[in-house]
Amino acid sequence: MKVGLFIPCYVDVVFPQVGMACYRLLRHLGVDVVYPQGQTCCGQPMANAGFQTEALPLAEKNDDMFAGFDYVVAPSVSCTAFIRVNYPGLLKEAGHECRIASHTMDIVEFLHDVVKPKGPLGKFPYKVSLHNSCHGVRELGLSSPSEIVEPKFNKIKDLLSLVEGIEVVEPERADECCGFGGMFSIEEVAVSKQMGLNKFERHKATGARFITGADCSCLMHMAGVAAKEKATDGIEFRHVVEILASGL
């Protein structure tokens, strides 16, 4: 099983420690992982803004770059969802068949569904509030959506249960949007800010020392809003893979 590690542009630039934690964790679990050089954006910002023609060259490049891997794994649910859900149609309109969408996975679902680690995984002796991002819940199925009556599950929580010393909690309205939404946070600044602050306050009400999730963009948004309002109270943000890789 050969895995291509896709590190989205904003993770590479703003959260490089998350990319490094992904690589370290996958190697620790015995995965044959490769980081192809020359990676670029998945094209999501352009497509979401209505500029699909600008997103197409990026989709074509990524499809070519990762075509030879058994799995493409990324630490970003929104980028993963864009590749899996949007690439087939985007490339089809340009006369190409997408080769990577069906086996592109967020690192949480890849670890949970494919690798299936059993033993202790890292150490993190803190209380952590779990953030369930919209793309993760409703497009990748990382957890059960609250609006649907079905057996409850949460793949992020399952993985965190393997971490020694951790206490995982969830806020009220556990899968409600944080307000980031990519272009939404730019076009509807006031609404996005208030949603982010409301979400952060619910996380803070759990008494957790850390807030974690599978998408850096959501964590970045809540951290930024809380910092501007001087409301952090010492709470820190960690991508779930950083916690899983801690203490290895």
Side-chain angles (χ1 to χ4, degrees), residues 65-82:
M65 180 175 291
F66 288 99
F69 292 97
D70 298 306
Y71 292 96
V72 182
V73 175
S76 171
V77 294
S78 59
C79 297
T80 301
F82 182 72

Side-chain angles (χ1 to χ4, degrees), residues 74-226:
S76 171
V77 294
S78 59
C79 297
T80 301
F82 182 72
I83 292 173
R84 204 148 84 194
V85 176
N86 296 84
Y87 267 28
L90 187 63
L91 291 170
K92 184 177 181 180
E93 288 185 10
H96 307 301
E97 181 180 352
C98 182
R99 293 164 290 175
I100 67 171
S102 62
H103 53 274
T104 296
M105 304 181 77
D106 174 75
I107 189 163
V108 167
E109 62 176 338
F110 177 71
L111 292 175
H112 187 279
D113 297 351
V114 179
V115 179
K116 301 179 181 179
K118 300 296 183 183
L121 197 60
K123 297 179 180 179
F124 204 74
Y126 301 99
K127 188 175 185 179
V128 176
S129 186
L130 176 57
H131 180 71
N132 301 289
S133 60
C134 299
H135 288 91
V137 176
R138 295 173 179 87
E139 290 192 317
L140 299 184
L142 298 188
S143 61
S144 52
S146 58
E147 68 271 14
I148 297 178
V149 179
E150 63 179 13
K152 299 301 179 184
F153 67 90
N154 193 308
K155 296 178 182 181
I156 306 175
K157 189 182 293 186
D158 288 346
L159 290 177
L160 289 175
S161 71
L162 301 175
V163 177
E164 294 183 359
I166 197 169
E167 179 186 356
V168 181
V169 295
E170 290 184 273
E172 182 187 7
R173 302 181 186 179
D175 61 357
E176 186 174 273
C177 182
C178 71
F180 179 62
M183 292 299 296
F184 177 77
S185 65
I186 297 172
E187 296 171 344
E188 299 289 348
V189 177
V191 177
S192 174
K193 174 185 174 182
Q194 190 59 53
M195 290 175 69
L197 187 59
N198 290 348
K199 189 71 180 183
F200 172 74
E201 291 293 344
R202 286 195 285 274
H203 279 295
K204 186 165 70 171
T206 67
R209 173 73 175 77
F210 290 87
I211 298 174
T212 192
D215 210 329
C216 288
S217 58
C218 298
L219 301 178
M220 175 181 65
H221 177 62
M222 289 185 289
V225 170

